[in-house]
Amino acid sequence: MLGKVKQWLGIEGVKLELVLSPDFDPRMGSLSGRVRLTSKHAQTVTAIKIVMVEKYSRGREDSQLVDEYELGRQVITDLVEVPAEGVPVEINFRLFFQPVASPVDEFGSRNPIFGGLAWAAKKLRNVNSEYRIEAEAQVQGVGLNPFDKQILNQ
């Protein structure tokens, strides 16, 4: 009984880890990496969803606004058998994404003078973008799916 509850909760089940390349630039348009799966018990992964999200914040203290934008999504639907005893299975992926340009960025891209004004406006309004990758695996017979997320350094 306890073993079935542990399996349903994913306690001794599949563990998911993202392995990403250290160099990232939002203008690249794609990001490659690997999903590493390990488990204490043999299980089957039916799908892996990988998403890139931009957290766009502006303003200061009480007047700070935060929006999140999904820049790209990939779903790997291959059946993956994860063996027992922690033997890792790695799946390579390449996630294509489309950066979202803010109105200030669009204004700044018109010419170099506007670029300087846009940079100053962004500093004045404390504009910041944080990018992250989230991955979630669908595992047969498990109620809580394993996931991982990593913040990308620019």
Side-chain angles (χ1 to χ4, degrees):
M1 171 85 177
L2 186 59
K4 292 222 182 247
V5 172
K6 281 183 178 180
Q7 180 179 355
W8 188 80
L9 292 174
I11 292 173
E12 292 182 350
V14 175
K15 304 296 182 216
L16 184 143
E17 178 186 1
L18 281 168
V19 181
L20 303 172
S21 59
D23 54 330
F24 170 73
D25 187 346
R27 296 170 290 187
M28 291 181 352
S30 71
L31 179 74
S32 61
R34 294 187 313 266
V35 175
R36 182 177 297 145
L37 302 167
T38 56
S39 179
K40 287 188 176 184
H41 304 287
Q43 289 189 297
T44 303
V45 174
T46 57
I48 301 171
K49 179 177 72 171
I50 304 165
V51 179
M52 177 179 276
V53 177
E54 176 186 9
K55 181 179 174 184
Y56 182 75
S57 62
R58 63 232 177 260
R60 299 183 190 280
E61 297 172 12
D62 293 339
S63 64
Q64 186 173 27
L65 300 172
V66 177
D67 292 318
E68 288 195 354
Y69 302 103
E70 183 177 304
L71 303 181
R73 172 186 294 256
Q74 180 180 6
V75 179
I76 301 168
T77 57
D78 300 335
L79 285 179
V80 178
E81 297 294 330
V82 181
E85 303 305 322
V87 177
V89 174
E90 292 190 350
I91 299 162
N92 295 322
F93 69 89
R94 181 173 268 313
L95 178 65
F96 293 95
F97 60 91
Q98 182 66 39
V100 177
S102 69
V104 174
D105 290 331
E106 289 176 3
F107 173 77
S109 66
R110 292 182 186 169
N111 68 43
I113 294 172
F114 289 166
L117 291 173
W119 179 85
K122 288 170 72 173
K123 287 296 178 189
L124 185 66
R125 293 186 64 202
N126 197 28
V127 172
N128 186 30
S129 286
E130 178 182 272
Y131 298 89
R132 73 177 181 270
I133 296 286
E134 299 174 349
E136 180 179 6
Q138 303 288 323
V139 181
Q140 283 182 346
V142 175
L144 299 175
N145 294 318
F147 66 93
D148 189 18
K149 66 179 177 180
Q150 284 191 14
I151 295 176
L152 300 168
N153 297 321
Q154 299 180 45

